């Protein structure tokens, strides 16, 4: 109905232009010759060709020449032509009018095609930019759905595989986007995906279907399929089908690139994990050898020479076994926690804890190994509860204190443990009076297997600070080091505080991302 009305209005406009040209020619008839009157109809044919379609422009040319012959060429009021020059004039007039009409129609068609190509190129560029910026396949699929929805259609839908192509059609094995599909359309999308080729109206394959089924093609295989419903009153447009397929191929290439990036990241993570495992095994084999040898030597001496040893000698050997066993336990704990945190295999057991109790538990354990009681704690009064994994937090604080005691000379002064709150942030600082950290080592002091250069004889595997940083990050905090103005280092933990509920909830398990 809309097409018939448009043609009627076009015909009406053609007749109006013809009547205007006829009126102007009649007004000028007494004052100009026949050739100049013909130019009025040539000009009219040229002007209407700018906006009339080809068929209406040609009709205008034929009608205007016939009207010119009837109205102005002698004998007037008939289609007879008396003189040969009049016949030549009419033939030339008809040829020029038809040529102008056809050329203008062709020019308009090429201009329309060029504008369409420009719009398609702009849409392809915009979709490509969006797909390159998208980080998730769902966002990519939504971008293609919006791009296809901007094209003239009766509705579009997308089917995107979740993982591998199933042996049989399974709606749960794919994501669906767009209009609601009939069972036949769903079967068509699965067929399009498996065959990896387009079919539907005008494609030469299943042309009886009122839609296009377009594969979302990657370099190696299809990742899904798209449905593009067509207007049954219009003939299929091959250029539109080509453009829609190009948009689908853009998504297929983006999904293939995303898949390669994910596989590369997984391979890199696996390589890093293997590298970490190898390094930890090497560290264990190296750093555990010395304390194990000491334990074995002390135990052998006690077993073989127990009767000849004095009580002080036995106590010395037993103390050595305890110290070496404690060192082995600390290294084993640090190694195990670091592997779990780096691999994301550790679930935090978060609960509301009292800082005073946590610090007290740590000080009681550390002071057993520090008979000189060199640790001086200063806690701000009325500290809030913190939501942490208590064993991990204790390990973090114990590692920091052990590290400070290890690298501080006995006569250098106490190690300060300062805890305070500043702007909804908990600040916990362990301050020593040791030699400090060289500038070249500060950037990697929290890396694995990095040890202070000033006390190379100190026992350790270089994992303590790496474990501290991993635990801090797992709790959403940060750990940094700052050089003190009067000498020594200050290791500072910053942790965002949360509002404790009125009724404390049970502990909650939280997965830690690697």
């Amino acid at each position: 109905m809309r097409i018939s009305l448009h043609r009627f209005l076009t015909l009406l406009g053609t007749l109006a232009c013809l009547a205007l040209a006829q009126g102007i020619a009649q007004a000028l008839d007494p004052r100009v010759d026949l050739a100049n009157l013909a130019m009025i109809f040539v000009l009219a044919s040229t002007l209407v060709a700018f906006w009339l379609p080809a068929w209406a422009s040609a009709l205008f040319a034929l009608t205007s020449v016939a009207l010119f012959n009837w109205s102005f060429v002698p004998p007037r009021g008939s289609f007879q032509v008396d003189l040969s020059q009049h016949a030549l004039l009419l033939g030339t007039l008809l040829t020029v009018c038809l040529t102008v009409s056809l050329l203008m129609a062709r020019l308009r068609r090429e201009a329309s095609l060029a504008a369409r190509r420009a719009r398609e190129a702009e849409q392809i560029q915009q979709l490509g930019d969006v797909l390159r910026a998208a980080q998730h396949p769902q966002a990519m699929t939504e971008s293609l759905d919006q791009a296809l929805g901007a094209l003239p259609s009766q509705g579009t839908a997308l089917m995107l595989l979740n993982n591998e192509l199933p042996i049989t059609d399974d709606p749960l094995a794919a994501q669906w986007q767009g209009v609601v599909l009939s069972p036949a359309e769903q079967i068509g999308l699965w067929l399009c995906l498996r065959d990896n080729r387009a079919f539907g109206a005008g494609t030469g394959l299943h042309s009886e279907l009122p839609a296009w089924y377009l594969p979302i093609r990657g370099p190696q295989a299809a990742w899904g399929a798209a449905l593009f419903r067509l207007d049954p009153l219009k003939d299929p447009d091959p250029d539109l089908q080509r453009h829609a397929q190009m948009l689908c191929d853009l998504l297929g290439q983006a999904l293939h690139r995303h898949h390669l990036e994910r596989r590369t990241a997984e391979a890199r993570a696996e390589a890093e994990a293997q590298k970490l495992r190898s390094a930890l095994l090497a560290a264990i084999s190296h750093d555990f050898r010395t304390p194990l040898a000491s334990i074995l030597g002390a135990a052998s001496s006690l077993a073989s020479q127990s009767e000849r040893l004095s009580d002080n000698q036995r106590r010395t050997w037993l103390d050595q076994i305890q110290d070496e066993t404690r060192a082995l336990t600390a290294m084993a704990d640090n190694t195990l926690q670091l592997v779990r945190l780096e691999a994301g295999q550790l679930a935090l057991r978060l609960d509301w804890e009292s800082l005073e109790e946590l610090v007290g538990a740590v000080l009681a354990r550390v002071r057993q190994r520090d008979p000189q009681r060199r640790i001086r704690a200063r806690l701000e009064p009325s500290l809030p509860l913190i939501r942490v994994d208590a064993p991990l937090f204790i390990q973090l604080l114990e590692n920091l204190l052990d590290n400070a005691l290890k690298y501080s000379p006995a006569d250098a002064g106490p190690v300060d443990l300062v805890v305070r709150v500043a702007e909804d942030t908990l600040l916990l600082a362990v301050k020593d009076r040791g030699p400090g950290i060289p500038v070249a080592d500060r950037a990697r002091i929290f890396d694995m297997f990095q040890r202070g250069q000033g006390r190379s004889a100190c026992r350790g595997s270089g994992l303590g600070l790496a474990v501290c940083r991993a635990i801090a990050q797992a709790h959403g905090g940060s750990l940094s080091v700052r050089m003190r103005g009067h000498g020594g280092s200050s290791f500072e933990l910053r942790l965002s505080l949360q509002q404790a509920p009125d009724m404390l909830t049970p502990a909650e398990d939280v997965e830690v991302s690697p």
Side-chain angles (χ1 to χ4, degrees):
M1 185 68 181
R2 290 195 301 269
I3 297 177
S4 300
L5 180 60
H6 176 71
R7 290 185 176 180
F8 173 76
L9 293 177
T10 301
L11 180 60
L12 187 63
T14 302
L15 295 177
C17 293
L18 185 61
L20 180 61
Q22 176 70 11
I24 295 175
Q26 287 181 347
L28 297 176
D29 183 23
R31 294 184 291 275
V32 298
D33 57 15
L34 193 61
N36 289 325
L37 290 177
M39 293 298 100
I40 297 175
F41 290 90
V42 172
L43 178 61
S45 297
T46 303
L47 293 177
V48 299
F50 278 102
W51 60 275
L52 288 179
W55 66 269
S57 181
L59 178 63
F60 183 90
L62 292 173
T63 306
S64 62
V65 171
L67 184 61
F68 175 75
N69 184 21
W70 178 273
S71 303
F72 302 104
V73 177
R76 300 189 178 192
S78 69
F79 293 107
Q80 296 180 0
V81 180
D82 290 343
L83 301 177
S84 58
Q85 59 266 32
H86 293 163
L88 179 61
L89 176 62
L90 290 174
T92 303
L93 177 62
L94 179 61
T95 301
V96 170
C97 290
L98 289 177
T99 301
V100 169
S101 300
L102 295 177
L103 288 177
M104 289 301 300
R106 181 177 179 181
L107 181 61
R108 290 175 56 206
R109 185 167 58 251
E110 292 180 352
S112 176
L113 183 60
R116 176 178 176 177
R117 292 284 187 268
R119 291 193 301 270
E120 292 177 351
E122 182 180 4
Q123 187 183 30
I124 290 174
Q125 181 180 0
Q126 292 177 350
L127 179 60
D129 294 339
V130 172
L131 292 177
R132 280 190 294 272
Q135 300 296 324
H136 194 274
Q138 181 62 32
M140 299 180 185
T141 306
E142 293 175 356
S143 300
L144 177 61
D145 185 53
Q146 294 175 1
L148 292 178
L151 302 178
S153 70
Q154 300 300 305
T156 61
L158 299 177
M159 180 189 72
L160 187 66
L161 286 177
N162 292 326
N163 293 300
E164 300 295 332
L165 180 64
I167 299 177
T168 59
D169 297 349
D170 182 7
L172 299 179
Q175 301 177 16
W176 303 85
Q177 186 92 19
V179 298
V180 179
L181 301 174
S182 65
E185 289 174 331
Q186 293 185 19
I187 294 175
L189 286 176
W190 282 109
L191 179 62
C192 176
L193 169 61
R194 296 183 184 278
D195 291 348
N196 196 13
R197 57 177 176 173
F199 60 84
T203 62
L205 183 64
H206 301 295
S207 298
E208 72 280 0
L209 296 174
W212 291 326
Y213 293 83
L214 309 174
I216 301 176
R217 301 179 297 197
Q220 298 176 351
W223 295 88
L227 172 73
F228 195 93
R229 291 174 179 170
L230 301 174
D231 189 345
L233 300 179
K234 295 182 179 179
D235 295 331
D237 186 353
D239 290 335
L240 181 61
Q241 188 262 335
R242 173 194 56 80
H243 178 61
Q245 182 63 69
M246 189 175 298
L247 295 177
C248 293
D249 291 343
L250 277 178
L251 175 60
Q253 294 171 5
L255 291 173
H256 179 72
R257 183 172 60 252
H258 175 78
H259 176 71
L260 291 180
E261 292 175 353
R262 186 181 63 183
R263 293 288 298 274
T264 301
E266 292 175 352
R268 186 181 297 112
E270 179 62 27
E272 290 294 332
Q274 183 61 40
K275 181 180 178 181
L276 174 62
R277 287 191 292 266
S278 299
L280 289 176
L281 288 175
I284 291 173
S285 63
H286 178 270
D287 294 319
F288 282 28
R289 187 180 296 115
T290 299
L292 285 174
S294 298
I295 293 172
L296 180 59
S300 299
S301 298
L302 287 173
S304 62
Q305 305 177 21
S306 177
E307 297 178 354
R308 291 179 291 177
L309 295 176
S310 64
D311 292 340
N312 290 335
Q313 289 176 325
R314 291 192 190 94
R315 188 175 301 107
T316 300
W317 289 119
L318 290 173
D319 290 342
Q320 182 177 351
I321 291 175
Q322 289 180 352
D323 292 341
E324 299 295 348
T325 303
R326 189 180 298 112
L328 278 176
T329 302
M331 285 190 287
D333 289 343
N334 285 334
T335 302
L336 179 61
Q337 298 293 21
L338 186 61
V339 170
R340 290 177 175 176
L341 288 169
E342 292 289 339
Q345 298 175 352
L346 182 65
L348 298 183
R349 184 75 173 172
L350 298 179
D351 202 354
W352 294 100
E353 304 287 349
S354 168
L355 267 169
E356 291 85 350
E357 293 180 2
L358 294 177
V359 171
V362 172
L363 290 179
R365 295 171 59 174
V366 174
R367 282 172 175 168
Q368 292 180 358
R369 307 188 295 272
D370 179 39
Q372 300 178 0
R373 301 179 67 87
R374 291 180 292 161
I375 299 176
R376 183 172 59 187
R378 289 183 295 170
L379 279 66
E380 187 178 80
S382 302
L383 289 172
L385 297 178
I386 58 173
R387 196 161 182 263
V388 295
D389 185 309
L392 284 181
F393 192 85
I394 289 176
Q395 184 177 1
L396 181 154
L397 183 53
E398 189 172 350
N399 281 353
L400 290 179
L401 291 174
D402 283 339
N403 185 77
L405 292 172
K406 182 189 302 182
Y407 289 96
S408 295
D411 57 351
V415 171
D416 292 321
L417 172 60
V418 179
V419 183
R420 61 186 177 87
V421 175
E423 298 181 356
D424 296 331
T425 300
L426 173 70
L427 175 61
L428 187 152
V430 176
K431 304 179 180 182
D432 62 54
R433 301 180 186 275
I437 302 172
V439 177
D441 296 337
R442 293 174 191 172
R444 59 177 186 270
I445 191 63
F446 294 104
D447 294 343
M448 291 185 297
F449 313 118
Q450 297 297 322
R451 299 180 60 190
Q453 301 299 318
R455 299 290 300 277
S456 58
C458 293
R459 179 182 295 130
S461 59
L463 296 177
L465 291 179
V467 172
C468 291
R469 181 184 62 175
I471 294 175
Q473 292 176 347
H475 285 82
S478 63
L479 183 62
S480 60
V481 62
R482 178 178 58 84
M483 297 301 102
R484 304 178 69 183
H486 54 279
S489 306
S490 175
F491 288 87
E492 299 176 352
L493 168 68
R494 287 177 171 82
L495 190 65
S496 297
L497 294 175
Q498 305 178 29
Q499 182 65 38
D502 296 334
M503 297 295 293
L504 296 183
T505 58
E508 177 185 353
D509 292 339
V510 178
E511 295 292 335
V512 179
S513 300

